[in-house]
């Protein structure tokens, strides 16, 4: 399945210059969402079904998750999803400034051991790149069920000049957002805390050249 289906849906990363993600889709889409590490693909494909006029890009380095996602795309005949079976960072570096409307980082690898935590995705340089590619007013959703990662990621986001935390009261981060689609990973309850949901908005006054 992967050898047959993935080439036609795969996102090409240019050797030089920027990738303008809207060019990946025909017919033309009205916005771009990026999901980082989509696991089994149920959230990615579910959102794509809900928003047929939006272009979705999903990154997942593991073959099992990619195979599951491709099966769902085939079963539902989705036309608005493109995929990358790789780490997301080369893609983010290649994307044109202010070219993404929404970014979803749902239950990323928590690297729970202390010596591993420097490998966590949410680092300052990664947020620099997110701030560069997301449109002013665009949103980032981060979810985790690991307390140390929740605390660390929240601190990095709120200290970063490109992002504003949107929570107004505790239920904003304790309760799943209304538009969330539950994933199989989430249902396994593998973390050390209940899931938390952080929503951030790209600050209007930030330059797309930051980072």
């Amino acid at each position: 399945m992967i050898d047959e289906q993935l080439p036609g849906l795969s996102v090409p990363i240019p050797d030089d210059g920027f990738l303008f993600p809207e060019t990946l889709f025909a017919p033309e889409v009205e916005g771009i969402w990026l999901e980082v590490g989509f696991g089994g693909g149920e959230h990615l494909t579910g959102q794509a079904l809900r928003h047929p006029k939006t272009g979705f890009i999903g990154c997942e380095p593991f073959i099992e998750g990619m195979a599951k996602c491709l099966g769902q795309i085939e079963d539902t005949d989705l036309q608005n999803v493109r995929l990358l079976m790789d780490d997301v960072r080369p893609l983010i570096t290649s994307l044109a400034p202010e070219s993404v409307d929404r970014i979803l980082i749902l239950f990323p690898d928590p690297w729970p051991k202390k010596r591993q935590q420097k490998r966590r995705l949410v680092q300052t340089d990664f947020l620099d790149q997110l701030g560069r590619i997301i449109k002013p007013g665009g949103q980032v959703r981060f979810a985790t069920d690991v307390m140390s990662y929740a605390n660390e990621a929240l601190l990095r986001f709120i200290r970063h000049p490109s992002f504003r935390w949107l929570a107004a009261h505790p239920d904003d981060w304790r309760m799943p957002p209304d538009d969330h689609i539950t994933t199989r990973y989430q249902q396994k309850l593998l973390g050390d805390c209940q899931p938390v949901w952080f929503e951030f908005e790209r600050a209007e006054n930030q330059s797309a050249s930051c980072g």
Side-chain angles (χ1 to χ4, degrees):
M1 178 180 290
I2 288 181
D3 290 342
E4 294 174 357
Q5 288 183 263
L6 185 57
L9 299 175
S10 188
V11 176
I13 297 180
D15 292 330
D16 53 56
F18 286 123
L19 171 64
F20 293 86
E22 68 274 10
T23 64
L24 300 173
F25 300 92
E28 184 177 349
V29 294
E30 296 177 356
I32 299 292
W33 290 20
L34 170 65
E35 183 166 342
V36 178
F38 57 72
E42 55 267 58
H43 181 273
L44 177 67
T45 57
Q47 294 288 6
L49 283 167
R50 288 181 180 178
H51 304 279
K53 294 184 179 180
T54 299
F56 286 80
I57 298 175
C59 293
E60 174 59 48
F62 297 111
I63 191 169
E64 181 179 355
M66 183 61 68
K68 289 178 180 177
C69 186
L70 286 168
Q72 294 161 38
I73 290 171
E74 183 177 41
D75 290 344
T76 54
D77 195 29
L78 280 170
Q79 303 297 312
N80 59 330
V81 178
R82 298 294 181 267
L83 303 170
L84 180 68
M85 194 165 70
D86 200 349
D87 184 273
V88 73
R89 281 164 281 210
L91 171 63
I92 287 177
T93 301
S94 76
L95 285 169
E98 297 184 357
S99 61
V100 177
D101 296 86
R102 197 172 188 192
I103 299 171
L104 302 149
I105 308 170
L106 307 179
F107 305 99
D109 193 329
W111 295 106
K113 295 180 181 178
K114 190 71 174 178
R115 67 178 183 274
Q116 297 175 330
Q117 291 178 5
K118 62 184 178 181
R119 302 179 68 177
R120 287 174 170 171
L121 185 64
V122 178
Q123 307 288 343
T124 300
D125 57 349
F126 180 72
L127 297 186
D128 289 343
Q129 288 295 331
L130 295 193
R132 184 186 65 80
I133 67 169
I134 199 164
K135 297 176 182 178
Q139 293 186 2
V140 178
R141 175 177 297 168
F142 175 87
T144 185
D145 56 3
V146 175
M147 182 61 69
S148 67
Y149 202 178
N151 293 335
E152 178 184 297
L154 179 59
L155 188 61
R156 287 207 165 104
F157 268 104
I158 62 178
R159 285 179 171 175
H160 198 282
S162 291
F163 298 102
R164 179 174 69 90
W165 189 23
L166 296 178
H169 48 77
D171 277 355
D172 289 338
W173 53 268
R174 290 176 179 169
M175 302 297 293
D178 291 340
D179 66 345
H180 175 65
I181 295 171
T182 302
T183 67
R184 276 173 280 187
Y185 173 85
Q186 179 186 343
Q187 292 174 323
K188 292 178 181 178
L189 301 175
L190 298 176
D192 60 7
C193 69
Q194 289 297 310
V196 295
W197 313 86
F198 298 143
E199 301 272 353
F200 306 94
E201 184 177 80
R202 161 74 194 277
E204 293 283 348
N205 61 349
Q206 289 300 309
S207 168
S209 62
C210 69

